Amino acid sequence: MALKQNFELMAGYNQWMNEKVYTAAASFDQIQLAEDKGAFFGSILGSLNHILVGDTIWLKRFALHPAQYSSLEAVRSFPVPAALNQILYNNFTDLRNARSELDKTIVSWSVEASESDYERDLSYSNTKGLSFTKKFGFLVHHFYNHQTHHRGQITTLLTQCGADVGVTDLVAFMP
């Protein structure tokens, strides 16, 4: 399977899973969502914000790719999150709307990117200012893996609180 086809699958899976997670989280009130559960980013709300922060940081880096993706044009103007634990949205509804819009961007970008783009190098600086150059395809793998990792934590938190996220396996999403 080509990387492009794989990443298009992962973009769709990301969107599908985020909708499932946010639907399950919507059954709780703001206080429950913000309650510290001892997770990496504290609460369900903190963890959901962290994924959005991470996605924003990586998409801003991806927008620097020589291919100059038009689908990432809006991302270029997003402010750079100040910290990995930054709460971009305290209000769940606003967070959910931002997530939905970013997922649409990710799907569009996955369609726009070409197979050859993934073979190129991408130079970027991390949040500590250190510079790196890595294969773009490897970085995109990390991007999707990061989302899956933290969604797994969130689905655990939601399950512990009594919510049913449903089937989360990629194979259930595959055509």
Side-chain angles (χ1 to χ4, degrees), residues 23-43:
T23 297
S27 65
F28 300 102
D29 64 31
Q30 189 69 28
I31 293 169
Q32 292 169 306
L33 292 173
E35 182 182 342
D36 190 338
K37 302 286 187 188
F40 288 172
F41 294 93
S43 64

mmCIF file of all heavy atoms in Angstrom, residues 23-43:
data_model
loop_
_atom_site.group_PDB
_atom_site.id
_atom_site.type_symbol
_atom_site.label_atom_id
_atom_site.label_comp_id
_atom_site.label_asym_id
_atom_site.label_seq_id
_atom_site.Cartn_x
_atom_site.Cartn_y
_atom_site.Cartn_z
ATOM 1 N N THR A 23 -18.695 12.628 20.748
ATOM 2 C CA THR A 23 -20.089 12.270 21.024
ATOM 3 C C THR A 23 -20.209 11.651 22.414
ATOM 4 O O THR A 23 -21.110 11.996 23.187
ATOM 5 C CB THR A 23 -20.631 11.310 19.945
ATOM 6 O OG1 THR A 23 -20.619 12.012 18.688
ATOM 7 C CG2 THR A 23 -22.042 10.842 20.257
ATOM 8 N N ALA A 24 -19.288 10.761 22.748
ATOM 9 C CA ALA A 24 -19.302 10.155 24.087
ATOM 10 C C ALA A 24 -19.029 11.201 25.159
ATOM 11 O O ALA A 24 -19.689 11.219 26.205
ATOM 12 C CB ALA A 24 -18.279 9.021 24.164
ATOM 13 N N ALA A 25 -18.084 12.085 24.916
ATOM 14 C CA ALA A 25 -17.740 13.116 25.906
ATOM 15 C C ALA A 25 -18.883 14.102 26.113
ATOM 16 O O ALA A 25 -19.039 14.655 27.205
ATOM 17 C CB ALA A 25 -16.471 13.852 25.468
ATOM 18 N N ALA A 26 -19.694 14.301 25.085
ATOM 19 C CA ALA A 26 -20.807 15.251 25.182
ATOM 20 C C ALA A 26 -21.855 14.826 26.205
ATOM 21 O O ALA A 26 -22.694 15.643 26.619
ATOM 22 C CB ALA A 26 -21.454 15.440 23.806
ATOM 23 N N SER A 27 -21.808 13.589 26.659
ATOM 24 C CA SER A 27 -22.770 13.130 27.666
ATOM 25 C C SER A 27 -22.406 13.606 29.069
ATOM 26 O O SER A 27 -23.165 13.399 30.015
ATOM 27 C CB SER A 27 -22.892 11.605 27.627
ATOM 28 O OG SER A 27 -21.675 10.991 28.008
ATOM 29 N N PHE A 28 -21.262 14.258 29.214
ATOM 30 C CA PHE A 28 -20.815 14.763 30.511
ATOM 31 C C PHE A 28 -20.889 16.283 30.543
ATOM 32 O O PHE A 28 -20.787 16.933 29.503
ATOM 33 C CB PHE A 28 -19.384 14.303 30.804
ATOM 34 C CG PHE A 28 -19.251 12.808 30.842
ATOM 35 C CD1 PHE A 28 -18.711 12.117 29.773
ATOM 36 C CD2 PHE A 28 -19.701 12.090 31.942
ATOM 37 C CE1 PHE A 28 -18.610 10.734 29.797
ATOM 38 C CE2 PHE A 28 -19.613 10.709 31.980
ATOM 39 C CZ PHE A 28 -19.063 10.029 30.900
ATOM 40 N N ASP A 29 -21.028 16.836 31.742
ATOM 41 C CA ASP A 29 -21.049 18.294 31.857
ATOM 42 C C ASP A 29 -19.617 18.835 31.917
ATOM 43 O O ASP A 29 -18.647 18.084 32.014
ATOM 44 C CB ASP A 29 -21.885 18.754 33.054
ATOM 45 C CG ASP A 29 -21.330 18.327 34.407
ATOM 46 O OD1 ASP A 29 -20.095 18.208 34.557
ATOM 47 O OD2 ASP A 29 -22.148 18.115 35.334
ATOM 48 N N GLN A 30 -19.529 20.147 31.857
ATOM 49 C CA GLN A 30 -18.237 20.829 31.807
ATOM 50 C C GLN A 30 -17.370 20.490 33.026
ATOM 51 O O GLN A 30 -16.160 20.305 32.897
ATOM 52 C CB GLN A 30 -18.471 22.348 31.721
ATOM 53 C CG GLN A 30 -17.243 23.155 31.440
ATOM 54 C CD GLN A 30 -16.692 22.962 30.039
ATOM 55 O OE1 GLN A 30 -17.417 22.652 29.101
ATOM 56 N NE2 GLN A 30 -15.395 23.138 29.889
ATOM 57 N N ILE A 31 -17.980 20.383 34.181
ATOM 58 C CA ILE A 31 -17.229 20.080 35.411
ATOM 59 C C ILE A 31 -16.625 18.686 35.332
ATOM 60 O O ILE A 31 -15.453 18.478 35.665
ATOM 61 C CB ILE A 31 -18.130 20.242 36.657
ATOM 62 C CG1 ILE A 31 -18.495 21.717 36.830
ATOM 63 C CG2 ILE A 31 -17.446 19.696 37.912
ATOM 64 C CD1 ILE A 31 -19.581 21.986 37.852
ATOM 65 N N GLN A 32 -17.404 17.711 34.869
ATOM 66 C CA GLN A 32 -16.900 16.338 34.733
ATOM 67 C C GLN A 32 -15.773 16.267 33.712
ATOM 68 O O GLN A 32 -14.787 15.558 33.918
ATOM 69 C CB GLN A 32 -18.034 15.394 34.337
ATOM 70 C CG GLN A 32 -19.070 15.191 35.421
ATOM 71 C CD GLN A 32 -20.302 14.477 34.888
ATOM 72 O OE1 GLN A 32 -20.906 14.903 33.906
ATOM 73 N NE2 GLN A 32 -20.670 13.377 35.545
ATOM 74 N N LEU A 33 -15.920 16.986 32.613
ATOM 75 C CA LEU A 33 -14.892 16.968 31.565
ATOM 76 C C LEU A 33 -13.589 17.613 32.027
ATOM 77 O O LEU A 33 -12.516 17.222 31.580
ATOM 78 C CB LEU A 33 -15.400 17.680 30.304
ATOM 79 C CG LEU A 33 -16.529 16.993 29.555
ATOM 80 C CD1 LEU A 33 -17.051 17.900 28.440
ATOM 81 C CD2 LEU A 33 -16.085 15.647 29.001
ATOM 82 N N ALA A 34 -13.682 18.585 32.925
ATOM 83 C CA ALA A 34 -12.499 19.309 33.394
ATOM 84 C C ALA A 34 -11.888 18.688 34.651
ATOM 85 O O ALA A 34 -10.803 19.110 35.074
ATOM 86 C CB ALA A 34 -12.865 20.767 33.660
ATOM 87 N N GLU A 35 -12.523 17.676 35.222
ATOM 88 C CA GLU A 35 -12.019 17.052 36.452
ATOM 89 C C GLU A 35 -10.713 16.317 36.188
ATOM 90 O O GLU A 35 -10.600 15.532 35.245
ATOM 91 C CB GLU A 35 -13.058 16.065 36.975
ATOM 92 C CG GLU A 35 -12.666 15.388 38.261
ATOM 93 C CD GLU A 35 -13.702 14.386 38.732
ATOM 94 O OE1 GLU A 35 -14.866 14.439 38.267
ATOM 95 O OE2 GLU A 35 -13.337 13.523 39.542
ATOM 96 N N ASP A 36 -9.723 16.574 37.035
ATOM 97 C CA ASP A 36 -8.419 15.935 36.885
ATOM 98 C C ASP A 36 -8.551 14.438 37.161
ATOM 99 O O ASP A 36 -8.967 14.036 38.247
ATOM 100 C CB ASP A 36 -7.400 16.560 37.836
ATOM 101 C CG ASP A 36 -5.971 16.104 37.563
ATOM 102 O OD1 ASP A 36 -5.770 15.035 36.946
ATOM 103 O OD2 ASP A 36 -5.054 16.831 37.979
ATOM 104 N N LYS A 37 -8.194 13.639 36.172
ATOM 105 C CA LYS A 37 -8.290 12.181 36.271
ATOM 106 C C LYS A 37 -6.915 11.533 36.408
ATOM 107 O O LYS A 37 -6.796 10.318 36.354
ATOM 108 C CB LYS A 37 -8.983 11.608 35.021
ATOM 109 C CG LYS A 37 -10.372 12.142 34.767
ATOM 110 C CD LYS A 37 -11.340 11.547 35.743
ATOM 111 C CE LYS A 37 -12.752 11.960 35.381
ATOM 112 N NZ LYS A 37 -13.686 11.560 36.418
ATOM 113 N N GLY A 38 -5.868 12.350 36.532
ATOM 114 C CA GLY A 38 -4.531 11.808 36.660
ATOM 115 C C GLY A 38 -3.915 11.358 35.345
ATOM 116 O O GLY A 38 -2.897 10.673 35.332
ATOM 117 N N ALA A 39 -4.515 11.737 34.240
ATOM 118 C CA ALA A 39 -3.983 11.398 32.915
ATOM 119 C C ALA A 39 -2.801 12.323 32.595
ATOM 120 O O ALA A 39 -2.531 13.280 33.314
ATOM 121 C CB ALA A 39 -5.080 11.544 31.858
ATOM 122 N N PHE A 40 -2.095 12.031 31.508
ATOM 123 C CA PHE A 40 -0.949 12.854 31.105
ATOM 124 C C PHE A 40 -1.311 14.338 31.087
ATOM 125 O O PHE A 40 -0.526 15.183 31.483
ATOM 126 C CB PHE A 40 -0.451 12.474 29.710
ATOM 127 C CG PHE A 40 0.258 11.157 29.612
ATOM 128 C CD1 PHE A 40 0.595 10.650 28.375
ATOM 129 C CD2 PHE A 40 0.606 10.405 30.721
ATOM 130 C CE1 PHE A 40 1.262 9.440 28.244
ATOM 131 C CE2 PHE A 40 1.273 9.201 30.619
ATOM 132 C CZ PHE A 40 1.598 8.718 29.361
ATOM 133 N N PHE A 41 -2.486 14.661 30.598
ATOM 134 C CA PHE A 41 -2.929 16.040 30.497
ATOM 135 C C PHE A 41 -4.122 16.312 31.404
ATOM 136 O O PHE A 41 -4.971 17.144 31.104
ATOM 137 C CB PHE A 41 -3.160 16.411 29.027
ATOM 138 C CG PHE A 41 -1.862 16.390 28.269
ATOM 139 C CD1 PHE A 41 -1.450 15.242 27.600
ATOM 140 C CD2 PHE A 41 -1.019 17.481 28.285
ATOM 141 C CE1 PHE A 41 -0.225 15.198 26.954
ATOM 142 C CE2 PHE A 41 0.214 17.449 27.642
ATOM 143 C CZ PHE A 41 0.604 16.313 26.976
ATOM 144 N N GLY A 42 -4.156 15.577 32.513
ATOM 145 C CA GLY A 42 -5.125 15.807 33.574
ATOM 146 C C GLY A 42 -6.505 15.266 33.295
ATOM 147 O O GLY A 42 -6.817 14.122 33.612
ATOM 148 N N SER A 43 -7.292 16.070 32.657
ATOM 149 C CA SER A 43 -8.706 15.785 32.458
ATOM 150 C C SER A 43 -9.007 15.310 31.036
ATOM 151 O O SER A 43 -8.142 15.323 30.163
ATOM 152 C CB SER A 43 -9.501 17.064 32.720
ATOM 153 O OG SER A 43 -9.151 18.055 31.756
#
